[in-house]
Amino acid sequence: MPKNLLKHDNICSKLQWLYEGKSYPVEIDNVEELATKGIAIIIIEKEGIADLLAPFAERYRVALVHTRGRFTEYGKDLIEAAKKAGSVVGILVDYDAYGEEIANGSRTNTPKIGITRDTIKWLQQNGYPDLIEAEIEEEYSPAIYIPRTSI
């Protein structure tokens, strides 16, 4: 089990940057500096995923940014600064309302990695005909949902 590199008790920043085995809070004062590190950056919604990916990311100089479930203005600033610096940026989310909010929250078009309605449709056509969105989407209290359209 990988060690938890992103666990910080005294850091208020929602976003945590993980690069070459070190973790940093993403704050207004360091966005430009962090944006120049790494040849690629993956913004990650779910807690724990960055720790699982860290050994592979280190090998290829990929920076991981954990959102702790919410996307901040600093995150949006970071994405734009990283793109300007020449990095490839992607957003890794699951299929739920918060994931969609993060994936659609960047100021410019940023590739989304994860489950989409197209993925669900493909699964329905390839061996999982009874699969429905509600089985994939995480439940919240109070309830929030991704707006439904027909699949």
Side-chain angles (χ1 to χ4, degrees):
M1 178 70 80
K3 64 182 178 177
N4 187 343
L5 297 171
L6 295 180
K7 185 172 178 75
H8 297 280
D9 296 327
N10 297 319
I11 293 179
C12 296
S13 175
K14 281 274 186 201
L15 297 179
Q16 292 295 311
W17 174 277
L18 179 62
Y19 182 67
E20 294 185 333
K22 296 179 183 161
S23 180
Y24 313 88
V26 177
E27 300 171 329
I28 194 167
D29 297 335
N30 67 359
V31 165
E32 294 293 326
E33 176 190 349
L34 292 176
T36 63
K37 298 178 186 280
I39 58 171
I41 299 169
I42 302 174
I43 311 293
I44 303 170
E45 174 194 9
K46 288 296 179 196
E47 189 171 357
I49 301 299
D51 289 324
L52 294 173
L53 296 176
F56 307 101
E58 286 179 36
R59 185 178 324 156
Y60 297 104
R61 296 187 52 227
V62 172
L64 305 174
V65 180
H66 178 246
T67 68
R68 296 185 179 178
R70 298 298 178 136
F71 207 31
T72 65
E73 289 303 311
Y74 300 154
K76 296 172 188 180
D77 293 344
L78 179 64
I79 286 174
E80 299 312 314
K83 287 178 179 179
K84 185 177 178 183
S87 289
V88 175
V89 181
I91 300 174
L92 175 61
V93 295
D94 61 2
Y95 187 71
D96 63 16
Y98 289 127
E100 288 297 301
E101 181 181 278
I102 291 169
N104 296 327
S106 63
R107 295 183 187 122
T108 57
N109 189 28
T110 304
K112 174 183 169 184
I113 306 166
I115 302 292
T116 65
R117 284 198 169 102
D118 289 338
T119 308
I120 295 169
K121 188 175 182 177
W122 184 90
L123 288 167
Q124 289 169 334
Q125 296 169 352
N126 291 278
Y128 299 91
D130 299 327
L131 182 67
I132 58 173
E133 283 186 48
E135 292 174 338
I136 305 296
E137 189 175 355
E138 195 168 345
E139 294 180 17
Y140 294 96
S141 180
I144 61 169
Y145 301 98
I146 300 171
R148 301 277 186 236
T149 59
S150 62
I151 290 186

